[in-house]
Amino acid sequence: MFFQKEIETMPRKELEALQLAKLKETVAYCYNKVPFYHQKLTEAGVGDGSRIRQLSDVQYIPFTTKEDFRNNYPFGLNAAPMKDIVRIHASSGTTGKPTVGVYTKKDIDVWSDCVARVAVAGGVTDEDIIQISFGYGLFTGALGLHFGLEKIGATVIPASSGNTEKQMMMFRDFGVTGLVATPSYALYLSEAVKEAGYPLSDYSLRLGILGSEPCTPEMRAQIEANLGIYVSDNYGMTELGGPGVSGDCPERDGMHFAEDHFLPEIIDSATGERLREGGKGELVVTTLSRQGMPVLRYRTKDITSITYEPCPCGRTHARMSKTAGRTDDMMIIKGVNVFPTQIESVLVGMPYIGPHYQIVLRRVNFRDTLEIRVELADAELLERYQELQELQRSMHDRLKSVLGLEAKVTLVQPKTLERFQGKAKRILDLRNEPQA
Amino acid sequence: MFFQKEIETMPRKELEALQLAKLKETVAYCYNKVPFYHQKLTEAGVGDGSRIRQLSDVQYIPFTTKEDFRNNYPFGLNAAPMKDIVRIHASSGTTGKPTVGVYTKKDIDVWSDCVARVAVAGGVTDEDIIQISFGYGLFTGALGLHFGLEKIGATVIPASSGNTEKQMMMFRDFGVTGLVATPSYALYLSEAVKEAGYPLSDYSLRLGILGSEPCTPEMRAQIEANLGIYVSDNYGMTELGGPGVSGDCPERDGMHFAEDHFLPEIIDSATGERLREGGKGELVVTTLSRQGMPVLRYRTKDITSITYEPCPCGRTHARMSKTAGRTDDMMIIKGVNVFPTQIESVLVGMPYIGPHYQIVLRRVNFRDTLEIRVELADAELLERYQELQELQRSMHDRLKSVLGLEAKVTLVQPKTLERFQGKAKRILDLRNEPQA
Ligand SMILES: [Zn+2]
Ligand SMILES: [Zn+2]
C-alpha cells in the first residue's frame, strides 16, 4: 500500500532530475533569504547554486551543524517571514536553549505527507484507530504523527504519554488498532499489558508505528510478541522538521527516505568526505521542500549506510539501514567504539530481566570500566541466586563476544532505575567524577 | 474584525431559518443513526422531527444529560461509522470512565471555524505568535485552539502546560504576542512574569484567549494588568465538541454563540421549563452541524442568561452572559446558593494575597460552616500581624455582604495549597466526614 504511489515509485532517473532541480532552488532560496547561508555559500564559492550541474555537486556546499542551530537561536535560520509561519516546534536541548523548527502551511502539508507515507507503509488505513502515546507539545513526534494520520483518515486518539492504566483502558474500550510511541515506552506498555492479565483477544491492536529513538530488532520482536502486533520504524529529527524523513516498508530491510523532499548523503564523520554507496558513516541531509527553515547538509550525527538498490516493495527511494547509534552516543571504552544499541540487543529477550538498564562508565586506576545495571522483572528473583549467577555469567559472556570488552553485569531490584517516558537516558558517565 | 463576516453578521431572520432547517436535519439524522435518540424521540412523539415547524418546537425534544454520555460510553452516541471518524477526545471524569467526543473531518473543520471566529473576535491576526499553554492531549482545549489558530494563519507554539520558566523564556525569545491558557494558569503565569523582574517591554504580549473554566471580571483585570494584555473569554465543553461554542466580541458584553452550529436555550433547572429571554437559568444546547456525535438539548449545568439584542460589534448571533457557576459547583450552605466565582470575585485584587484559595465546608453540630483558606503572596507577611488582622476582617465583611453568610477566613503560608494546571479544584467538602 502506498500513500502517494506515483511519487514513491517514481523511476530513479526522474526522481534524481527532480532532486537536482529542487536542490538548485533550495540553494538559491537559502542564499537569498538567510544571511547565515548567504555568507557560508559565498565563502565556499557556491553562491546561489546556479553552477550546480549534478547531485554530487552537493559536496561543495558547507555542512550545517547542531552548533549552527544553537548560534542562530531562535530564528536566525528562518527563510520565511513570521507572517507565513504557522507553527513553532522545539526540542529541549540537554543544556540551555532548545533547538527550534518553524513551519509554513506548506511545510506542515509536506510533513504530513511524509508521515502519511510512513504510516501507510506500516499498514495504517482509514479504518484504523491509532493511539498516539508520544508526549504532545513542542516535541515534533506527537503533532507530526497526528497530522499525518488524520490526513490518511485514520481515527486519532491524542493520548499523549503517561498514565499507563488509562492508556490500556483506551486500548480496550476504544478498540484501538494501532499504537504510536517511542520503542522504550511501547516496550513498557507492552509489559504492562502482559501484567494486566487481560487476554490479547480483549484488544484489537494490530500495528505499531514507533520512532524518535532507535529500535533494535530485538526490542521490536519483544514488543511484537507481547502485543501481538506488527511494528514499523521511522526516522526524523527536529532539525529536519520531525518524523517522516525515512520509514520502513513492508520488507523492513532499510527505511525509505522521502527523497523528493530530502537529499541524503553518508560521510566519514572524521574527514567529512562522502562515502561510496553502502559505506557506513554519518548521515547528512539536505531539505528540498522546506520553506520556513530549509537546511543545507545537516550533520545528523547518526551512523548508518544508504542503498539505492531496487526494493521488492516497489518503492524507488533510497533506503537507510537502522542507525547503529549516534556519533554522540558512541562511547569509546578502552579505545573500542561501543553503542548502547549493541548492549540493548544483548539484553532484550533474555529471561528474568525487565526492559530497564543503565550503562555505568568509571575510570579506576586510569583504566575505563564498564558496568551494565540490569533491572530484574520480579522482586523475588534475587533470592534464586544460583540461576541468576548463571544468567549474569551468560550476559557477561555474550557482551564480551559482541563488544570485545569486559563488562561487569549488576542485577538490581525492580523499579529502582530511573524511568523515562520520552527518550531514555541510559548512560551514566562517571569517569570524570572523583573516585569513590 | 471577523473570521466569517457574512455568517457572523447574518440577519436574524435568515439565521433562524437556517437554524430551523438544520434542527430538522439534525433530529432526522439522530433518529436514523443513533438508537439511543431513536428511542427517546419515538417515546417523546417527536419521531424524525418532520413535524417541527418553528424553532421553539425544540422544547418537545427530550434532554440529553451527562449521565446519558456515561451510560453510552464509549461510542453509543456516535452517529457516523468509525471509518469516518478522524479524532477521539475525552475529558477525564472525576469518577471512572471519561466523557468521549468523536469527530469527522467535517466536524474538525467546523470546530476550527468556531475557534477561529472567537480568536479573531479576540484580536488575533495572521501576524500573531500564540503560545498555547493548555495541556495537549485528550483534552479538547489545546488541539481545538491549535487547529483554529493555524486556520487563521497565526504562528502556533504548542507549549502545553507546565514548566513556567520555559513558558516565560519562550514569551521573550520567540516574541510571543498572545497566550492561550486557563484563567487560573494565566493568572499564575502573570504572577510569575511579575516576579521574574524583566520589564514588560522585554515581552511582546498583547492578548490572551482564555477558556475552559470561568473567568471572573476581577481575574481578567488582574491578568490584564500583570501582563499588559487584552483578554477575551470563550466557552465550550467536550460534550459539545470543545471550545468555540461562544466567545467574547470586542464589546465583551456577553459571548456570541456560533448560532449557525449551535441552538441555545435557557431552562429552569428544577422544572425543565424554558425561560423567557433574559431569564437566568441552565444553558441547554443542541448541535446543528456535528456528524460524529450530534447532541440534542444537552443540559450543560452552567447557569447563565441569553440576549438576542443587537450588539454594537455587528454580530447578530445571540450572546450569553458570563456563567455564574455550574449547577454542579453551586454550594448550598445554610440554604444559601453560593458559587465559587462569587468568592473569587471578592479575593482577586485584594492586597497581600496570592491567586490560590480553597473553600472548606464543614458541618459542626449540624450547622454548615464555611472557611476560605487564602494563601499569602509572601512568606514574611504572617509576621505583620496587625495589618493582616485588618485584611482578614475586611475579607470577612465583604464576603458576608456578598454571600449573606458568615465565613471564616484563614490565611495560610505561600505554596502550601495544592496547585492545579488544568481546571482548579477549589472545593473541599468535608461535611460528610466524621467530625475531628
Ligand atoms: Zn521497500
Ligand atoms: Zn458583539
Side-chain angles (χ1 to χ4, degrees):
Chain A
M1 289 289 296
F2 299 90
F3 180 68
Q4 293 172 311
K5 187 169 184 183
E6 210 169 311
I7 298 164
E8 294 177 69
T9 62
M10 185 181 268
R12 281 213 65 83
K13 214 172 150 185
E14 261 177 68
L15 180 60
E16 283 163 15
L18 178 67
Q19 287 184 307
L20 180 59
K22 290 180 85 168
L23 175 64
K24 287 171 70 83
E25 256 176 54
T26 299
V27 172
Y29 182 63
C30 287
Y31 180 85
N32 290 319
K33 303 286 186 184
V34 187
F36 166 81
Y37 287 120
H38 186 95
Q39 190 186 337
K40 288 191 65 163
L41 289 166
T42 303
E43 283 168 9
V46 178
D48 67 359
S50 51
R51 284 173 308 154
I52 290 174
R53 292 278 170 264
Q54 50 195 9
L55 278 177
S56 62
D57 288 347
V58 70
Q59 69 189 296
Y60 305 115
I61 299 172
F63 295 120
T64 304
T65 64
K66 182 98 180 169
E67 209 185 351
D68 293 323
F69 274 81
R70 211 175 292 128
N71 295 338
N72 288 283
Y73 172 88
F75 300 138
L77 298 180
N78 285 25
M82 282 310 280
K83 190 176 174 8
D84 296 339
I85 300 300
V86 298
R87 181 94 61 84
I88 299 175
H89 277 286
S91 65
S92 36
T94 36
T95 52
K97 298 296 186 182
T99 300
V100 172
V102 305
Y103 304 77
T104 64
K105 264 195 177 162
K106 195 199 134 206
D107 288 336
I108 299 278
D109 206 45
V110 167
W111 181 21
S112 305
D113 283 342
C114 292
V115 169
R117 286 185 204 170
V118 165
V120 170
V124 176
T125 74
D126 62 354
E127 307 225 21
D128 276 296
I129 301 171
I130 311 278
Q131 188 160 320
I132 299 186
S133 304
F134 278 146
Y136 272 70
L138 290 166
F139 166 53
T140 54
L143 284 169
L145 268 290
H146 186 112
F147 275 67
L149 290 165
E150 278 194 6
K151 199 159 194 174
I152 295 169
T155 306
V156 175
I157 303 172
S160 202
S161 55
N163 201 340
T164 305
E165 284 305 314
K166 194 170 177 187
Q167 302 271 358
M168 294 193 292
M169 182 190 80
M170 290 192 287
F171 281 170
R172 295 190 305 272
D173 291 356
F174 295 169
V176 171
T177 62
L179 170 67
V180 169
T182 59
S184 51
Y185 192 51
L187 188 55
Y188 178 78
L189 269 173
S190 78
E191 297 288 346
V193 162
K194 260 176 75 178
E195 273 175 36
Y198 294 88
L200 275 186
S201 57
D202 279 13
Y203 300 84
S204 308
L205 287 166
R206 62 180 201 86
L207 61 87
I209 308 284
L210 307 185
S212 109
E213 60 181 28
C215 182
T216 62
E218 291 79 9
M219 255 177 123
R220 184 177 81 189
Q222 191 160 334
I223 295 164
E224 290 187 325
N226 287 349
L227 295 177
I229 64 176
Y230 170 90
V231 163
S232 69
D233 194 3
N234 77 92
Y235 174 85
M237 57 182 54
T238 305
E239 292 86 341
L240 299 176
V245 172
S246 70
D248 273 331
C249 71
E251 303 292 323
R252 297 200 295 196
D253 184 22
M255 296 184 280
H256 290 280
F257 285 98
E259 265 197 287
D260 49 331
H261 301 305
F262 299 98
L263 179 66
E265 306 167 78
I266 298 289
I267 64 164
D268 178 315
S269 68
T271 66
E273 298 281 304
R274 281 158 63 97
L275 299 186
R276 69 188 65 181
E277 181 173 346
K280 198 168 176 174
E282 181 178 350
L283 176 67
V284 167
V285 177
T286 298
T287 69
L288 299 177
S289 305
R290 288 186 96 198
Q291 296 180 324
M293 197 176 266
V295 183
L296 300 179
R297 298 196 89 201
Y298 184 67
R299 289 187 64 150
T300 65
K301 295 192 174 174
D302 283 314
I303 306 297
T304 184
S305 61
I306 299 180
T307 175
Y308 295 86
E309 287 293 303
C311 180
C313 78
R315 286 172 183 78
T316 52
H317 295 219
R319 280 171 288 162
M320 62 184 268
S321 55
K322 293 257 174 200
T323 54
R326 293 175 57 77
T327 55
D328 272 358
D329 288 346
M330 193 180 76
M331 299 168 277
I332 302 180
I333 306 171
K334 296 181 190 164
V336 179
N337 292 355
V338 176
F339 290 102
T341 45
Q342 292 178 287
I343 291 167
E344 188 157 318
S345 70
V346 167
L347 302 181
V348 172
M350 287 206 132
Y352 304 125
I353 66 177
H356 301 283
Y357 68 93
Q358 194 172 48
I359 299 163
V360 186
L361 304 177
R362 283 201 187 76
R363 189 159 287 148
V364 180
N365 298 327
F366 308 102
R367 293 181 50 222
D368 294 346
T369 68
L370 167 64
E371 179 189 357
I372 322 288
R373 289 185 185 152
V374 186
E375 217 182 75
L376 292 168
D378 182 332
E380 286 167 33
L381 273 178
L382 264 184
E383 293 163 16
R384 300 169 60 186
Y385 186 66
Q386 239 179 355
E387 272 185 70
L388 289 173
Q389 268 189 323
E390 261 171 55
L391 172 70
Q392 211 166 5
R393 193 174 316 121
S394 134
M395 279 193 281
H396 168 269
D397 294 350
R398 283 174 65 181
L399 281 167
K400 188 170 176 184
S401 82
V402 170
L403 305 180
L405 274 175
E406 283 293 334
K408 180 177 165 194
V409 174
T410 314
L411 303 173
V412 302
Q413 287 292 356
K415 322 223 162 178
T416 54
L417 296 177
E418 202 182 341
R419 295 296 189 269
F420 303 92
Q421 254 157 12
K423 227 160 187 161
K425 293 187 200 75
R426 303 290 199 191
I427 302 173
L428 192 64
D429 191 339
L430 307 173
R431 288 183 286 188
N432 294 317
E433 300 289 304
Q435 286 186 31
Chain B
M1 287 290 294
F2 300 90
F3 180 68
Q4 293 172 310
K5 187 168 184 184
E6 211 169 312
I7 298 164
E8 295 177 69
T9 62
M10 185 181 269
R12 281 213 65 82
K13 215 174 148 182
E14 261 178 66
L15 179 60
E16 283 163 15
L18 178 68
Q19 287 184 306
L20 180 60
K22 291 181 86 168
L23 175 63
K24 288 171 68 84
E25 255 177 54
T26 298
V27 172
Y29 182 62
C30 287
Y31 180 85
N32 290 320
K33 302 286 186 184
V34 187
F36 166 81
Y37 286 121
H38 186 95
Q39 190 185 339
K40 289 192 63 164
L41 289 165
T42 304
E43 283 168 10
V46 178
D48 68 358
S50 50
R51 284 173 308 153
I52 289 174
R53 291 279 170 266
Q54 50 195 11
L55 278 177
S56 62
D57 288 347
V58 71
Q59 69 189 297
Y60 304 114
I61 299 172
F63 294 120
T64 304
T65 63
K66 182 97 181 170
E67 208 183 353
D68 293 323
F69 273 81
R70 212 176 290 129
N71 295 338
N72 289 283
Y73 172 88
F75 299 138
L77 299 180
N78 285 26
M82 280 311 279
K83 189 177 177 6
D84 296 338
I85 300 299
V86 298
R87 181 94 62 83
I88 299 175
H89 277 286
S91 64
S92 38
T94 36
T95 53
K97 298 296 188 182
T99 301
V100 173
V102 305
Y103 303 77
T104 64
K105 263 195 176 161
K106 196 199 134 206
D107 288 336
I108 299 278
D109 206 44
V110 167
W111 182 19
S112 305
D113 284 341
C114 291
V115 169
R117 285 186 205 171
V118 165
V120 170
V124 176
T125 73
D126 61 355
E127 308 225 21
D128 276 296
I129 301 171
I130 311 278
Q131 188 159 319
I132 299 185
S133 304
F134 279 146
Y136 272 70
L138 290 166
F139 166 52
T140 54
L143 285 169
L145 267 289
H146 186 112
F147 275 67
L149 290 166
E150 278 194 5
K151 199 160 194 173
I152 295 170
T155 306
V156 175
I157 303 171
S160 202
S161 56
N163 201 340
T164 305
E165 284 305 315
K166 194 170 175 186
Q167 302 271 358
M168 293 193 292
M169 181 190 80
M170 290 192 288
F171 280 170
R172 295 190 305 272
D173 291 356
F174 295 170
V176 171
T177 61
L179 170 67
V180 168
T182 60
S184 51
Y185 192 51
L187 188 55
Y188 178 76
L189 270 173
S190 77
E191 297 288 346
V193 162
K194 260 176 75 179
E195 273 175 38
Y198 294 87
L200 275 186
S201 57
D202 279 13
Y203 300 85
S204 309
L205 287 166
R206 62 179 201 88
L207 61 88
I209 308 284
L210 307 185
S212 109
E213 60 181 28
C215 182
T216 61
E218 291 78 9
M219 254 177 123
R220 186 177 80 188
Q222 192 161 333
I223 296 164
E224 289 189 329
N226 287 349
L227 295 177
I229 64 176
Y230 170 91
V231 162
S232 69
D233 194 5
N234 76 92
Y235 175 85
M237 57 181 54
T238 305
E239 293 86 340
L240 299 175
V245 172
S246 70
D248 273 331
C249 71
E251 303 292 323
R252 296 200 296 197
D253 184 23
M255 295 184 281
H256 291 280
F257 285 99
E259 264 198 286
D260 48 331
H261 301 305
F262 300 98
L263 180 65
E265 306 166 77
I266 297 290
I267 64 164
D268 178 316
S269 68
T271 65
E273 299 281 304
R274 281 159 62 95
L275 299 186
R276 71 189 63 182
E277 182 174 345
K280 197 167 177 174
E282 181 178 349
L283 176 68
V284 167
V285 177
T286 298
T287 68
L288 299 177
S289 305
R290 288 186 95 197
Q291 295 180 323
M293 197 176 267
V295 183
L296 300 178
R297 298 195 90 201
Y298 183 67
R299 290 188 63 152
T300 65
K301 295 192 173 173
D302 282 314
I303 306 296
T304 184
S305 61
I306 299 181
T307 176
Y308 296 85
E309 288 292 304
C311 181
C313 78
R315 286 171 183 80
T316 53
H317 296 219
R319 281 170 288 162
M320 64 184 268
S321 55
K322 294 256 174 198
T323 55
R326 291 175 57 79
T327 56
D328 273 359
D329 288 347
M330 194 181 75
M331 299 169 277
I332 302 180
I333 306 170
K334 297 181 191 166
V336 179
N337 292 355
V338 176
F339 291 103
T341 45
Q342 294 178 286
I343 291 166
E344 189 156 318
S345 69
V346 167
L347 302 181
V348 172
M350 285 204 133
Y352 304 126
I353 66 177
H356 300 283
Y357 67 94
Q358 194 173 47
I359 300 163
V360 186
L361 304 178
R362 285 202 185 77
R363 190 160 285 148
V364 179
N365 298 325
F366 308 102
R367 293 180 51 221
D368 295 345
T369 67
L370 168 64
E371 178 189 356
I372 323 290
R373 289 186 184 149
V374 185
E375 218 181 75
L376 293 169
D378 182 332
E380 286 166 33
L381 273 178
L382 264 184
E383 293 163 17
R384 299 167 62 186
Y385 186 65
Q386 237 178 356
E387 269 185 72
L388 289 172
Q389 266 189 324
E390 261 170 56
L391 173 71
Q392 210 166 4
R393 192 175 318 121
S394 136
M395 278 194 281
H396 168 270
D397 293 348
R398 284 174 65 181
L399 281 166
K400 189 170 176 184
S401 82
V402 170
L403 306 178
L405 274 175
E406 283 292 336
K408 181 178 165 193
V409 174
T410 313
L411 302 173
V412 302
Q413 287 292 354
K415 322 226 162 175
T416 55
L417 295 177
E418 202 182 340
R419 295 296 190 267
F420 303 92
Q421 256 156 11
K423 226 161 186 160
K425 293 187 199 77
R426 303 289 199 191
I427 301 173
L428 193 64
D429 191 339
L430 307 172
R431 287 183 287 188
N432 294 318
E433 300 290 306
Q435 285 185 28

